[in-house]
Amino acid sequence: MTTTPTVEELEAQERRLVFSQFTYDDAWALGSLLVELARERRAPVAIDIHRAGQQLFHAALPGSTPDNDAWIARKRRVVERYGSASYLVGARHRAKGTTFEASSRLDPDTYAAHGGSFPLTVKGAGVIGAITVSGLPQLEDHELVVEALERFLARP
């Protein structure tokens, strides 16, 4: 069973998972890797990669629904607004004894600080997009994205 990561651990993930560049081909390769990992687990997820407002990759696996696409959009907007993983944004609010919904003053139909969307950060450029998964419990969505990023960035 996975333990809930601390805010510090989540922030460390973001510092570690940084690209030197992020191309269209990278989006395809990363998205395809994520599909492969999800298929191995028979995870009923939808997967999305956006860069600078453009959708570069999308896949919906068996068992996913249109609701997953709505969750993807809401989680991605949190990354775009805060420049941090959607799970980290929610964790920061929980660490303060509140919730994102109660304290952000943002429409919950537009923004969701639930796990599964992670910033695509390029060294020297900052956050340029987001990779998002929806369909599992929020920590599992987050962990699946982190695993894919770790594997992708570890390639020779």
Side-chain angles (χ1 to χ4, degrees):
M1 174 135 181
T2 304
T3 59
T4 302
T6 65
V7 168
E8 294 75 21
E9 290 168 332
L10 295 167
E11 290 171 343
Q13 288 175 345
E14 289 191 359
R15 287 190 299 273
R16 189 175 77 249
L17 299 173
V18 175
F19 294 82
S20 58
Q21 64 176 6
F22 193 79
T23 67
Y24 290 93
D25 288 339
D26 291 330
W28 179 259
L30 177 57
S32 298
L33 172 61
L34 197 43
V35 166
E36 182 182 317
L37 293 174
R39 283 191 188 281
E40 287 172 5
R41 293 162 174 82
R42 294 191 172 140
V45 297
I47 299 163
D48 180 86
I49 299 177
H50 262 70
R51 183 184 69 183
Q54 182 182 19
Q55 185 178 55
L56 301 185
F57 185 92
H58 183 81
L61 299 184
S64 65
T65 70
D67 284 345
N68 296 122
D69 291 328
W71 275 99
I72 282 172
R74 292 167 59 216
K75 292 190 270 189
R76 186 184 71 246
R77 285 186 198 106
V78 168
V79 173
E80 292 167 348
R81 184 175 185 109
Y82 292 91
S84 291
S86 54
Y87 192 77
L88 173 56
V89 172
R92 286 177 174 151
H93 284 86
R94 288 187 296 277
K96 294 176 186 172
T98 185
T99 65
F100 175 80
E101 295 78 11
S103 59
S104 71
R105 301 178 56 121
L106 295 172
D107 182 354
D109 290 334
T110 305
Y111 295 90
H114 292 261
S117 192
F118 201 92
L120 295 172
T121 303
V122 173
K123 185 176 181 178
V127 175
I128 55 103
I131 178 170
T132 312
V133 167
S134 175
L136 301 170
Q138 66 169 331
L139 180 55
E140 292 177 40
D141 278 347
H142 175 82
E143 289 174 335
L144 185 58
V145 171
V146 168
E147 181 182 347
L149 288 167
E150 287 172 341
R151 288 189 186 198
F152 185 85
L153 290 167
R155 297 177 318 158

